[in-house]
């Protein structure tokens, strides 16, 4: 949910259509990055656990740090 909240402005501001299937991709974050034309998003060190691709972050601090990096990446792409 926190990921989606941070990503919402990028979804809304994207000027075009994107149709992605996160269930069938080995790297959902890279697929989102390609769909939204946000290449920096693909290289972000962000856990893919929400999509069942890896273990969750070890600590709450790790999770919050990843979300903060995501927010900076999205903000940089939009402004």
């Amino acid at each position: 949910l926190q990921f989606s909240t941070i990503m919402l402005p990028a979804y809304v501001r994207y000027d075009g259509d994107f149709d992605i299937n996160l269930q069938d991709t080995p790297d959902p974050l890279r697929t989102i990055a390609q769909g939204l034309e946000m290449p920096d998003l693909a290289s972000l060190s962000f856990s893919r656990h929400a999509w069942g691709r890896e273990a969750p972050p070890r600590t709450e601090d790790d999770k919050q740090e990843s979300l903060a990096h995501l927010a900076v990446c999205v903000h940089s792409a939009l402004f």
Side-chain angles (χ1 to χ4, degrees):
L1 189 56
Q2 291 172 319
F3 175 85
S4 295
T5 300
I6 293 169
M7 289 300 299
L8 185 60
Y11 299 149
V12 171
R13 286 182 178 230
Y14 183 72
D15 187 23
D17 296 326
F18 62 99
D19 181 17
I20 55 178
N21 183 345
L22 300 180
Q23 205 168 33
D24 293 337
T25 181
D27 188 350
L29 193 58
R30 180 172 302 283
T31 301
I32 293 169
Q34 291 170 340
L36 295 176
E37 300 175 24
M38 294 175 62
D40 291 343
L41 187 63
S43 61
L44 198 61
S45 177
F46 191 85
S47 173
R48 273 64 167 175
H49 77 279
W51 300 285
R53 302 302 194 275
E54 60 186 51
R58 295 180 195 217
T59 67
E60 181 65 23
D61 286 344
D62 289 344
K63 182 178 99 175
Q64 292 304 320
E65 184 176 339
S66 290
L67 290 168
H69 289 295
L70 175 65
V72 168
C73 181
V74 169
H75 185 269
S76 295
L78 297 180
F79 302 103

